[in-house]
Amino acid sequence: MTIPDPASRLDREVIAMRVAREFRDGDVVNLGIGIPTLCSDFVPPGVQLLYHSESGVLNCGPLADEADGDIDLINAGGQFLQAVPGMSFFDSAEAFAMIRGGHIDLTVLGALQVSARGDLANWFLPSRGVGNVGGAMDLAVGAKRVIVAMEHSDREGDSKIVSECTFPLTAMRCVSLIVTDVAVFEVTGRNRGLWLIEVAPGWDADAVGSVTAADFAVSDELKEIELL
Amino acid sequence: MPIDKTVPTFEEAVADIPDGATVFIGGFGGAGGMPHRLMLALRDLGSKSLTIAGNTAGIAVPTGFGWPAGEEPIDHAILVENGQIAKVIASFPVSGSVSRKNAFELAFERGEIELEVVPQGTLVERMRAAGAGIPAFYTPTGAGTDLAAGKETREFDGIECVLETALRADFALIRGAVADRLGNITYSGTSRSFNVAMAAAAEITISEVDEIVEPGEIDPERVDTPAIYVDRVVARGAQGKGSR
């Protein structure tokens, strides 16, 4: 049964804008590919972050112009970076020691599915039969806080928030906040469950429930997604 | 006799890589830090049934990952398409784009190449461990996932961890910026990547570099890979720092 959406879904930039509100001054942040990368465009005023990349650089700055690309200065997505003051370089073993060692305050990752317990599946699409794990498993277990930024439904219209992941897992019980184009959930509590805290304009808890394949509790202070 | 690890040509540098060897291929996935001239020489040598290990199995050709616009990338596809690869060990084996498959994925679909996917941090740590004489280590990465299937696990402080073993190779093909003839190497920027761990974890480590200088010309404070890990160095000559 498909119920029409009560209002339009947020675009990718707005998801990124909402995630960026979680950034705190001085955080070491690792952004995944896709919507997570967009978050760097919306860092709140007065907040300075140190961006970490698995390619082996801390304090990575903005992307370089195509013509100025230096093959020895890339981010984890293979894009060329501008050289900025205060960068440091290191090899892959150290890049991942930083991740597993708990030195990354926050990572923002995309997802194929997230379970109600905060299990994450984001590396293997069964229909393809082969996948890239990259640094996703290390980030999911190593970062102090894991935020998922994704569209609420997949291309077939199925909920990406599920009671149990059916796609191969990246890590168990690792996600603490889910920001989608219709809602924001915290994953909290001793038994880890979903807690709906914000909805997109024009949406309410029932409408979110109709597009979500997992049970969730609704905050007494449920509000519209705030961007400022 | 003065130590001189310089080899004049790429062809000579890889000449003893036999069929069935395990070969590390350095870099992260883009042009920087990837030993293209050594890879081309290995292609020309034609050794078969190789196991190659590294971050990717060739993602630059389909997507331009880490390559300057307008330049045609070279990646692992030259070895795959030449039928030299039996097995790939990588964290990011296929193109990030489902619609632009790399040569490896096509060969994998045909059942021609075996694949072992390893989380990126575990992959490089397995190399680091091999180079440092650590036979195995526990890591929380991958616990409870398909990539831990069949592996020993143990809880530390309430966190499930997976036992991972050291990963060695017969040969490491890496790329640095500057070497001296003793084999000391420096890298530039993000091109350290897998090269540092690989250099220490192979029986024979061969480095392609932009430039070879006399001992003393590299500031000892700036040596990234000390000569102890390096067996052969080859200069890129006219290609220098270029991508190809």
Side-chain angles (χ1 to χ4, degrees), chain B residues 131-182:
Chain B
I134 306 290
F137 57 92
Y138 281 102
T139 176
T141 302
T145 75
D146 292 354
L147 299 190
K151 294 177 180 167
E152 285 181 51
T153 61
R154 184 170 160 183
E155 258 190 37
F156 295 91
D157 299 328
I159 294 169
E160 187 181 330
C161 294
V162 184
L163 186 67
E164 296 282 359
T165 54
L167 180 63
R168 297 175 186 290
D170 302 308
F171 294 85
L173 307 185
I174 63 170
R175 176 172 170 185
V178 182
D180 63 26
R181 59 177 165 74
L182 299 179

mmCIF file of all heavy atoms in Angstrom, chain B residues 131-182:
data_model
loop_
_atom_site.group_PDB
_atom_site.id
_atom_site.type_symbol
_atom_site.label_atom_id
_atom_site.label_comp_id
_atom_site.label_asym_id
_atom_site.label_seq_id
_atom_site.Cartn_x
_atom_site.Cartn_y
_atom_site.Cartn_z
ATOM 1 N N GLY B 131 55.474 -6.523 8.156
ATOM 2 C CA GLY B 131 56.770 -5.851 8.124
ATOM 3 C C GLY B 131 57.394 -5.693 9.492
ATOM 4 O O GLY B 131 58.600 -5.505 9.615
ATOM 5 N N ALA B 132 56.551 -5.760 10.525
ATOM 6 C CA ALA B 132 57.019 -5.529 11.891
ATOM 7 C C ALA B 132 57.130 -6.823 12.684
ATOM 8 O O ALA B 132 57.337 -6.787 13.908
ATOM 9 C CB ALA B 132 56.071 -4.554 12.597
ATOM 10 N N GLY B 133 56.963 -7.971 12.033
ATOM 11 C CA GLY B 133 57.130 -9.251 12.717
ATOM 12 C C GLY B 133 56.010 -9.629 13.657
ATOM 13 O O GLY B 133 56.198 -10.388 14.599
ATOM 14 N N ILE B 134 54.816 -9.093 13.414
ATOM 15 C CA ILE B 134 53.626 -9.432 14.216
ATOM 16 C C ILE B 134 52.780 -10.384 13.378
ATOM 17 O O ILE B 134 52.268 -9.988 12.341
ATOM 18 C CB ILE B 134 52.805 -8.158 14.541
ATOM 19 C CG1 ILE B 134 53.662 -7.092 15.211
ATOM 20 C CG2 ILE B 134 51.574 -8.497 15.368
ATOM 21 C CD1 ILE B 134 54.095 -7.413 16.613
ATOM 22 N N PRO B 135 52.628 -11.654 13.809
ATOM 23 C CA PRO B 135 51.942 -12.616 12.941
ATOM 24 C C PRO B 135 50.440 -12.394 12.817
ATOM 25 O O PRO B 135 49.845 -12.769 11.806
ATOM 26 C CB PRO B 135 52.227 -13.963 13.597
ATOM 27 C CG PRO B 135 52.635 -13.659 14.998
ATOM 28 C CD PRO B 135 53.229 -12.286 14.999
ATOM 29 N N ALA B 136 49.823 -11.781 13.832
ATOM 30 C CA ALA B 136 48.374 -11.573 13.788
ATOM 31 C C ALA B 136 47.994 -10.528 14.826
ATOM 32 O O ALA B 136 48.782 -10.232 15.734
ATOM 33 C CB ALA B 136 47.632 -12.885 14.063
ATOM 34 N N PHE B 137 46.787 -9.985 14.693
ATOM 35 C CA PHE B 137 46.328 -8.972 15.656
ATOM 36 C C PHE B 137 44.805 -9.007 15.708
ATOM 37 O O PHE B 137 44.152 -9.468 14.768
ATOM 38 C CB PHE B 137 46.819 -7.571 15.253
ATOM 39 C CG PHE B 137 46.376 -7.158 13.861
ATOM 40 C CD1 PHE B 137 45.189 -6.450 13.661
ATOM 41 C CD2 PHE B 137 47.145 -7.501 12.742
ATOM 42 C CE1 PHE B 137 44.787 -6.087 12.376
ATOM 43 C CE2 PHE B 137 46.744 -7.132 11.459
ATOM 44 C CZ PHE B 137 45.561 -6.433 11.274
ATOM 45 N N TYR B 138 44.252 -8.518 16.816
ATOM 46 C CA TYR B 138 42.803 -8.387 16.938
ATOM 47 C C TYR B 138 42.374 -6.965 16.596
ATOM 48 O O TYR B 138 43.030 -6.015 17.013
ATOM 49 C CB TYR B 138 42.362 -8.695 18.367
ATOM 50 C CG TYR B 138 42.286 -10.171 18.657
ATOM 51 C CD1 TYR B 138 43.296 -10.806 19.377
ATOM 52 C CD2 TYR B 138 41.214 -10.927 18.216
ATOM 53 C CE1 TYR B 138 43.224 -12.164 19.655
ATOM 54 C CE2 TYR B 138 41.129 -12.283 18.482
ATOM 55 C CZ TYR B 138 42.136 -12.900 19.204
ATOM 56 O OH TYR B 138 42.063 -14.230 19.470
ATOM 57 N N THR B 139 41.280 -6.851 15.859
ATOM 58 C CA THR B 139 40.732 -5.525 15.531
ATOM 59 C C THR B 139 39.211 -5.566 15.642
ATOM 60 O O THR B 139 38.589 -6.583 15.313
ATOM 61 C CB THR B 139 41.140 -5.080 14.107
ATOM 62 O OG1 THR B 139 40.497 -3.833 13.812
ATOM 63 C CG2 THR B 139 40.747 -6.103 13.049
ATOM 64 N N PRO B 140 38.612 -4.465 16.109
ATOM 65 C CA PRO B 140 37.133 -4.429 16.149
ATOM 66 C C PRO B 140 36.518 -4.300 14.757
ATOM 67 O O PRO B 140 35.342 -4.614 14.573
ATOM 68 C CB PRO B 140 36.844 -3.182 16.991
ATOM 69 C CG PRO B 140 38.054 -2.315 16.833
ATOM 70 C CD PRO B 140 39.223 -3.260 16.687
ATOM 71 N N THR B 141 37.306 -3.858 13.781
ATOM 72 C CA THR B 141 36.770 -3.636 12.432
ATOM 73 C C THR B 141 36.284 -4.949 11.821
ATOM 74 O O THR B 141 37.025 -5.927 11.798
ATOM 75 C CB THR B 141 37.848 -3.015 11.531
ATOM 76 O OG1 THR B 141 38.306 -1.799 12.106
ATOM 77 C CG2 THR B 141 37.310 -2.766 10.132
ATOM 78 N N GLY B 142 35.068 -4.942 11.331
ATOM 79 C CA GLY B 142 34.527 -6.103 10.633
ATOM 80 C C GLY B 142 33.792 -7.087 11.523
ATOM 81 O O GLY B 142 33.150 -8.016 11.012
ATOM 82 N N ALA B 143 33.860 -6.916 12.852
ATOM 83 C CA ALA B 143 33.184 -7.872 13.743
ATOM 84 C C ALA B 143 31.692 -7.931 13.414
ATOM 85 O O ALA B 143 31.054 -6.902 13.207
ATOM 86 C CB ALA B 143 33.392 -7.460 15.194
ATOM 87 N N GLY B 144 31.172 -9.135 13.336
ATOM 88 C CA GLY B 144 29.746 -9.317 13.079
ATOM 89 C C GLY B 144 29.361 -9.155 11.620
ATOM 90 O O GLY B 144 28.176 -9.178 11.287
ATOM 91 N N THR B 145 30.345 -8.990 10.731
ATOM 92 C CA THR B 145 30.041 -8.827 9.306
ATOM 93 C C THR B 145 30.490 -10.062 8.523
ATOM 94 O O THR B 145 31.212 -10.920 9.050
ATOM 95 C CB THR B 145 30.761 -7.606 8.705
ATOM 96 O OG1 THR B 145 32.152 -7.924 8.532
ATOM 97 C CG2 THR B 145 30.636 -6.380 9.591
ATOM 98 N N ASP B 146 30.095 -10.099 7.261
ATOM 99 C CA ASP B 146 30.485 -11.220 6.404
ATOM 100 C C ASP B 146 32.003 -11.330 6.263
ATOM 101 O O ASP B 146 32.531 -12.410 6.002
ATOM 102 C CB ASP B 146 29.883 -11.050 5.001
ATOM 103 C CG ASP B 146 28.365 -11.189 5.006
ATOM 104 O OD1 ASP B 146 27.807 -11.537 6.081
ATOM 105 O OD2 ASP B 146 27.741 -10.933 3.963
ATOM 106 N N LEU B 147 32.707 -10.206 6.389
ATOM 107 C CA LEU B 147 34.159 -10.237 6.193
ATOM 108 C C LEU B 147 34.884 -10.872 7.380
ATOM 109 O O LEU B 147 36.083 -11.116 7.312
ATOM 110 C CB LEU B 147 34.708 -8.832 5.923
ATOM 111 C CG LEU B 147 34.162 -8.149 4.670
ATOM 112 C CD1 LEU B 147 34.942 -6.879 4.367
ATOM 113 C CD2 LEU B 147 34.178 -9.080 3.457
ATOM 114 N N ALA B 148 34.154 -11.141 8.466
ATOM 115 C CA ALA B 148 34.764 -11.837 9.604
ATOM 116 C C ALA B 148 34.393 -13.317 9.602
ATOM 117 O O ALA B 148 34.819 -14.058 10.502
ATOM 118 C CB ALA B 148 34.320 -11.185 10.914
ATOM 119 N N ALA B 149 33.626 -13.750 8.618
ATOM 120 C CA ALA B 149 33.142 -15.141 8.595
ATOM 121 C C ALA B 149 34.314 -16.116 8.657
ATOM 122 O O ALA B 149 35.291 -15.980 7.921
ATOM 123 C CB ALA B 149 32.318 -15.377 7.336
ATOM 124 N N GLY B 150 34.221 -17.069 9.571
ATOM 125 C CA GLY B 150 35.244 -18.100 9.677
ATOM 126 C C GLY B 150 36.484 -17.674 10.441
ATOM 127 O O GLY B 150 37.400 -18.475 10.636
ATOM 128 N N LYS B 151 36.541 -16.418 10.893
ATOM 129 C CA LYS B 151 37.725 -15.949 11.622
ATOM 130 C C LYS B 151 37.503 -16.058 13.131
ATOM 131 O O LYS B 151 36.378 -15.925 13.612
ATOM 132 C CB LYS B 151 38.047 -14.495 11.246
ATOM 133 C CG LYS B 151 38.485 -14.362 9.791
ATOM 134 C CD LYS B 151 38.744 -12.929 9.382
ATOM 135 C CE LYS B 151 39.167 -12.883 7.918
ATOM 136 N NZ LYS B 151 39.141 -11.530 7.378
ATOM 137 N N GLU B 152 38.599 -16.268 13.851
ATOM 138 C CA GLU B 152 38.507 -16.302 15.312
ATOM 139 C C GLU B 152 38.093 -14.936 15.830
ATOM 140 O O GLU B 152 38.537 -13.907 15.325
ATOM 141 C CB GLU B 152 39.880 -16.621 15.922
ATOM 142 C CG GLU B 152 40.302 -18.060 15.789
ATOM 143 C CD GLU B 152 41.662 -18.291 16.445
ATOM 144 O OE1 GLU B 152 41.831 -17.889 17.624
ATOM 145 O OE2 GLU B 152 42.538 -18.861 15.774
ATOM 146 N N THR B 153 37.262 -14.913 16.873
ATOM 147 C CA THR B 153 36.901 -13.641 17.505
ATOM 148 C C THR B 153 37.138 -13.740 19.000
ATOM 149 O O THR B 153 37.191 -14.844 19.573
ATOM 150 C CB THR B 153 35.427 -13.271 17.262
ATOM 151 O OG1 THR B 153 34.601 -14.291 17.819
ATOM 152 C CG2 THR B 153 35.131 -13.125 15.778
ATOM 153 N N ARG B 154 37.293 -12.612 19.629
ATOM 154 C CA ARG B 154 37.497 -12.558 21.074
ATOM 155 C C ARG B 154 37.042 -11.193 21.568
ATOM 156 O O ARG B 154 37.202 -10.187 20.865
ATOM 157 C CB ARG B 154 38.983 -12.766 21.368
ATOM 158 C CG ARG B 154 39.303 -12.819 22.836
ATOM 159 C CD ARG B 154 40.739 -13.260 23.045
ATOM 160 N NE ARG B 154 41.182 -12.862 24.363
ATOM 161 C CZ ARG B 154 42.412 -13.040 24.832
ATOM 162 N NH1 ARG B 154 43.332 -13.609 24.072
ATOM 163 N NH2 ARG B 154 42.737 -12.653 26.028
ATOM 164 N N GLU B 155 36.461 -11.177 22.762
ATOM 165 C CA GLU B 155 36.003 -9.911 23.325
ATOM 166 C C GLU B 155 37.096 -9.250 24.152
ATOM 167 O O GLU B 155 37.752 -9.913 24.955
ATOM 168 C CB GLU B 155 34.784 -10.150 24.220
ATOM 169 C CG GLU B 155 33.490 -9.787 23.550
ATOM 170 C CD GLU B 155 32.304 -9.800 24.495
ATOM 171 O OE1 GLU B 155 32.459 -9.410 25.675
ATOM 172 O OE2 GLU B 155 31.225 -10.208 24.035
ATOM 173 N N PHE B 156 37.288 -7.963 23.931
ATOM 174 C CA PHE B 156 38.168 -7.158 24.778
ATOM 175 C C PHE B 156 37.345 -5.984 25.292
ATOM 176 O O PHE B 156 36.753 -5.251 24.494
ATOM 177 C CB PHE B 156 39.373 -6.628 23.992
ATOM 178 C CG PHE B 156 40.306 -7.711 23.509
ATOM 179 C CD1 PHE B 156 40.128 -8.294 22.268
ATOM 180 C CD2 PHE B 156 41.354 -8.147 24.310
ATOM 181 C CE1 PHE B 156 40.985 -9.287 21.820
ATOM 182 C CE2 PHE B 156 42.224 -9.138 23.866
ATOM 183 C CZ PHE B 156 42.036 -9.710 22.624
ATOM 184 N N ASP B 157 37.284 -5.802 26.608
ATOM 185 C CA ASP B 157 36.496 -4.714 27.200
ATOM 186 C C ASP B 157 35.083 -4.677 26.627
ATOM 187 O O ASP B 157 34.542 -3.612 26.334
ATOM 188 C CB ASP B 157 37.185 -3.355 26.968
ATOM 189 C CG ASP B 157 38.563 -3.311 27.609
ATOM 190 O OD1 ASP B 157 38.744 -3.965 28.657
ATOM 191 O OD2 ASP B 157 39.454 -2.642 27.047
ATOM 192 N N GLY B 158 34.501 -5.870 26.427
ATOM 193 C CA GLY B 158 33.120 -5.937 25.963
ATOM 194 C C GLY B 158 32.940 -5.699 24.477
ATOM 195 O O GLY B 158 31.811 -5.656 23.990
ATOM 196 N N ILE B 159 34.038 -5.523 23.746
ATOM 197 C CA ILE B 159 33.928 -5.272 22.305
ATOM 198 C C ILE B 159 34.436 -6.487 21.538
ATOM 199 O O ILE B 159 35.549 -6.977 21.789
ATOM 200 C CB ILE B 159 34.739 -4.021 21.914
ATOM 201 C CG1 ILE B 159 34.108 -2.786 22.568
ATOM 202 C CG2 ILE B 159 34.780 -3.848 20.394
ATOM 203 C CD1 ILE B 159 34.956 -1.548 22.467
ATOM 204 N N GLU B 160 33.596 -6.986 20.626
ATOM 205 C CA GLU B 160 34.004 -8.148 19.841
ATOM 206 C C GLU B 160 35.066 -7.741 18.823
ATOM 207 O O GLU B 160 34.921 -6.739 18.119
ATOM 208 C CB GLU B 160 32.795 -8.735 19.106
ATOM 209 C CG GLU B 160 33.128 -10.054 18.406
ATOM 210 C CD GLU B 160 31.936 -10.641 17.658
ATOM 211 O OE1 GLU B 160 30.787 -10.415 18.081
ATOM 212 O OE2 GLU B 160 32.171 -11.315 16.639
ATOM 213 N N CYS B 161 36.141 -8.537 18.776
ATOM 214 C CA CYS B 161 37.239 -8.248 17.851
ATOM 215 C C CYS B 161 37.537 -9.488 17.014
ATOM 216 O O CYS B 161 37.241 -10.613 17.398
ATOM 217 C CB CYS B 161 38.487 -7.830 18.621
ATOM 218 S SG CYS B 161 38.273 -6.250 19.472
ATOM 219 N N VAL B 162 38.131 -9.253 15.860
ATOM 220 C CA VAL B 162 38.400 -10.292 14.874
ATOM 221 C C VAL B 162 39.913 -10.488 14.772
ATOM 222 O O VAL B 162 40.660 -9.510 14.743
ATOM 223 C CB VAL B 162 37.857 -9.863 13.492
ATOM 224 C CG1 VAL B 162 38.042 -10.978 12.466
ATOM 225 C CG2 VAL B 162 36.396 -9.448 13.586
ATOM 226 N N LEU B 163 40.337 -11.752 14.719
ATOM 227 C CA LEU B 163 41.764 -12.035 14.560
ATOM 228 C C LEU B 163 42.135 -11.957 13.076
ATOM 229 O O LEU B 163 41.592 -12.688 12.254
ATOM 230 C CB LEU B 163 42.101 -13.423 15.114
ATOM 231 C CG LEU B 163 43.586 -13.783 15.128
ATOM 232 C CD1 LEU B 163 44.365 -12.916 16.119
ATOM 233 C CD2 LEU B 163 43.781 -15.261 15.476
ATOM 234 N N GLU B 164 43.044 -11.072 12.757
ATOM 235 C CA GLU B 164 43.508 -10.893 11.373
ATOM 236 C C GLU B 164 44.993 -11.228 11.300
ATOM 237 O O GLU B 164 45.745 -10.907 12.216
ATOM 238 C CB GLU B 164 43.297 -9.441 10.916
ATOM 239 C CG GLU B 164 41.829 -9.023 10.864
ATOM 240 C CD GLU B 164 41.098 -9.544 9.633
ATOM 241 O OE1 GLU B 164 41.724 -10.228 8.795
ATOM 242 O OE2 GLU B 164 39.896 -9.261 9.511
ATOM 243 N N THR B 165 45.404 -11.831 10.200
ATOM 244 C CA THR B 165 46.791 -12.279 10.090
ATOM 245 C C THR B 165 47.621 -11.345 9.212
ATOM 246 O O THR B 165 47.100 -10.647 8.345
ATOM 247 C CB THR B 165 46.845 -13.695 9.483
ATOM 248 O OG1 THR B 165 46.131 -13.681 8.241
ATOM 249 C CG2 THR B 165 46.212 -14.711 10.411
ATOM 250 N N ALA B 166 48.909 -11.367 9.440
ATOM 251 C CA ALA B 166 49.845 -10.556 8.662
ATOM 252 C C ALA B 166 49.764 -10.933 7.183
ATOM 253 O O ALA B 166 49.498 -12.084 6.833
ATOM 254 C CB ALA B 166 51.264 -10.763 9.178
ATOM 255 N N LEU B 167 49.989 -9.941 6.327
ATOM 256 C CA LEU B 167 49.943 -10.164 4.874
ATOM 257 C C LEU B 167 51.291 -9.776 4.261
ATOM 258 O O LEU B 167 51.691 -8.618 4.304
ATOM 259 C CB LEU B 167 48.821 -9.321 4.248
ATOM 260 C CG LEU B 167 48.645 -9.452 2.737
ATOM 261 C CD1 LEU B 167 48.259 -10.877 2.345
ATOM 262 C CD2 LEU B 167 47.584 -8.463 2.239
ATOM 263 N N ARG B 168 51.967 -10.782 3.728
ATOM 264 C CA ARG B 168 53.268 -10.553 3.094
ATOM 265 C C ARG B 168 53.131 -10.645 1.582
ATOM 266 O O ARG B 168 52.172 -11.187 1.077
ATOM 267 C CB ARG B 168 54.253 -11.666 3.483
ATOM 268 C CG ARG B 168 54.559 -11.741 4.892
ATOM 269 C CD ARG B 168 55.442 -12.924 5.259
ATOM 270 N NE ARG B 168 55.520 -12.928 6.705
ATOM 271 C CZ ARG B 168 56.163 -12.015 7.396
ATOM 272 N NH1 ARG B 168 56.844 -11.067 6.779
ATOM 273 N NH2 ARG B 168 56.133 -12.028 8.706
ATOM 274 N N ALA B 169 54.166 -10.195 0.908
ATOM 275 C CA ALA B 169 54.218 -10.399 -0.547
ATOM 276 C C ALA B 169 55.625 -10.796 -0.942
ATOM 277 O O ALA B 169 56.586 -10.576 -0.193
ATOM 278 C CB ALA B 169 53.818 -9.123 -1.282
ATOM 279 N N ASP B 170 55.731 -11.405 -2.105
ATOM 280 C CA ASP B 170 57.051 -11.707 -2.654
ATOM 281 C C ASP B 170 57.704 -10.417 -3.169
ATOM 282 O O ASP B 170 58.905 -10.222 -3.017
ATOM 283 C CB ASP B 170 56.912 -12.721 -3.799
ATOM 284 C CG ASP B 170 56.247 -14.005 -3.323
ATOM 285 O OD1 ASP B 170 56.714 -14.564 -2.320
ATOM 286 O OD2 ASP B 170 55.240 -14.417 -3.932
ATOM 287 N N PHE B 171 56.891 -9.565 -3.774
ATOM 288 C CA PHE B 171 57.396 -8.303 -4.333
ATOM 289 C C PHE B 171 56.442 -7.169 -3.965
ATOM 290 O O PHE B 171 55.231 -7.360 -3.949
ATOM 291 C CB PHE B 171 57.480 -8.374 -5.868
ATOM 292 C CG PHE B 171 58.494 -9.363 -6.373
ATOM 293 C CD1 PHE B 171 58.161 -10.713 -6.513
ATOM 294 C CD2 PHE B 171 59.777 -8.953 -6.691
ATOM 295 C CE1 PHE B 171 59.093 -11.635 -6.974
ATOM 296 C CE2 PHE B 171 60.725 -9.868 -7.150
ATOM 297 C CZ PHE B 171 60.387 -11.210 -7.293
ATOM 298 N N ALA B 172 57.003 -6.009 -3.670
ATOM 299 C CA ALA B 172 56.187 -4.790 -3.559
ATOM 300 C C ALA B 172 56.629 -3.843 -4.658
ATOM 301 O O ALA B 172 57.827 -3.562 -4.808
ATOM 302 C CB ALA B 172 56.378 -4.132 -2.199
ATOM 303 N N LEU B 173 55.660 -3.375 -5.445
ATOM 304 C CA LEU B 173 55.915 -2.327 -6.436
ATOM 305 C C LEU B 173 55.332 -1.043 -5.860
ATOM 306 O O LEU B 173 54.114 -0.941 -5.667
ATOM 307 C CB LEU B 173 55.244 -2.659 -7.776
ATOM 308 C CG LEU B 173 55.542 -4.038 -8.388
ATOM 309 C CD1 LEU B 173 54.889 -4.150 -9.766
ATOM 310 C CD2 LEU B 173 57.045 -4.288 -8.474
ATOM 311 N N ILE B 174 56.209 -0.083 -5.552
ATOM 312 C CA ILE B 174 55.740 1.155 -4.934
ATOM 313 C C ILE B 174 56.260 2.348 -5.734
ATOM 314 O O ILE B 174 57.058 2.201 -6.650
ATOM 315 C CB ILE B 174 56.175 1.256 -3.448
ATOM 316 C CG1 ILE B 174 57.706 1.305 -3.329
ATOM 317 C CG2 ILE B 174 55.610 0.084 -2.655
ATOM 318 C CD1 ILE B 174 58.196 1.646 -1.921
ATOM 319 N N ARG B 175 55.763 3.530 -5.365
ATOM 320 C CA ARG B 175 56.248 4.745 -6.033
ATOM 321 C C ARG B 175 56.505 5.832 -5.001
ATOM 322 O O ARG B 175 55.631 6.136 -4.178
ATOM 323 C CB ARG B 175 55.231 5.254 -7.060
ATOM 324 C CG ARG B 175 55.683 6.573 -7.689
ATOM 325 C CD ARG B 175 54.816 7.006 -8.847
ATOM 326 N NE ARG B 175 55.169 8.368 -9.238
ATOM 327 C CZ ARG B 175 54.520 9.065 -10.160
ATOM 328 N NH1 ARG B 175 53.500 8.525 -10.783
ATOM 329 N NH2 ARG B 175 54.897 10.290 -10.457
ATOM 330 N N GLY B 176 57.701 6.391 -5.051
ATOM 331 C CA GLY B 176 58.062 7.507 -4.178
ATOM 332 C C GLY B 176 58.342 8.740 -4.999
ATOM 333 O O GLY B 176 58.256 8.732 -6.240
ATOM 334 N N ALA B 177 58.693 9.811 -4.294
ATOM 335 C CA ALA B 177 59.053 11.056 -4.978
ATOM 336 C C ALA B 177 60.556 11.078 -5.257
ATOM 337 O O ALA B 177 60.986 11.197 -6.397
ATOM 338 C CB ALA B 177 58.629 12.254 -4.135
ATOM 339 N N VAL B 178 61.365 10.945 -4.197
ATOM 340 C CA VAL B 178 62.816 11.012 -4.335
ATOM 341 C C VAL B 178 63.432 9.834 -3.594
ATOM 342 O O VAL B 178 63.004 9.494 -2.490
ATOM 343 C CB VAL B 178 63.368 12.334 -3.745
ATOM 344 C CG1 VAL B 178 64.881 12.418 -3.946
ATOM 345 C CG2 VAL B 178 62.682 13.538 -4.372
ATOM 346 N N ALA B 179 64.434 9.200 -4.204
ATOM 347 C CA ALA B 179 65.207 8.152 -3.532
ATOM 348 C C ALA B 179 66.682 8.489 -3.659
ATOM 349 O O ALA B 179 67.089 9.206 -4.575
ATOM 350 C CB ALA B 179 64.940 6.790 -4.179
ATOM 351 N N ASP B 180 67.494 7.950 -2.738
ATOM 352 C CA ASP B 180 68.933 7.964 -2.996
ATOM 353 C C ASP B 180 69.348 6.537 -3.343
ATOM 354 O O ASP B 180 68.552 5.599 -3.255
ATOM 355 C CB ASP B 180 69.709 8.570 -1.823
ATOM 356 C CG ASP B 180 69.574 7.778 -0.533
ATOM 357 O OD1 ASP B 180 69.325 6.555 -0.604
ATOM 358 O OD2 ASP B 180 69.730 8.380 0.548
ATOM 359 N N ARG B 181 70.624 6.378 -3.742
ATOM 360 C CA ARG B 181 71.004 5.055 -4.237
ATOM 361 C C ARG B 181 71.122 4.024 -3.127
ATOM 362 O O ARG B 181 71.212 2.828 -3.384
ATOM 363 C CB ARG B 181 72.274 5.132 -5.085
ATOM 364 C CG ARG B 181 73.488 5.675 -4.392
ATOM 365 C CD ARG B 181 74.715 5.639 -5.298
ATOM 366 N NE ARG B 181 75.782 6.475 -4.769
ATOM 367 C CZ ARG B 181 76.521 6.141 -3.703
ATOM 368 N NH1 ARG B 181 76.321 4.990 -3.087
ATOM 369 N NH2 ARG B 181 77.453 6.970 -3.274
ATOM 370 N N LEU B 182 71.064 4.461 -1.848
ATOM 371 C CA LEU B 182 70.995 3.492 -0.744
ATOM 372 C C LEU B 182 69.580 2.917 -0.605
ATOM 373 O O LEU B 182 69.394 1.882 0.026
ATOM 374 C CB LEU B 182 71.375 4.163 0.582
ATOM 375 C CG LEU B 182 72.776 4.759 0.687
ATOM 376 C CD1 LEU B 182 72.956 5.405 2.069
ATOM 377 C CD2 LEU B 182 73.829 3.679 0.477
#
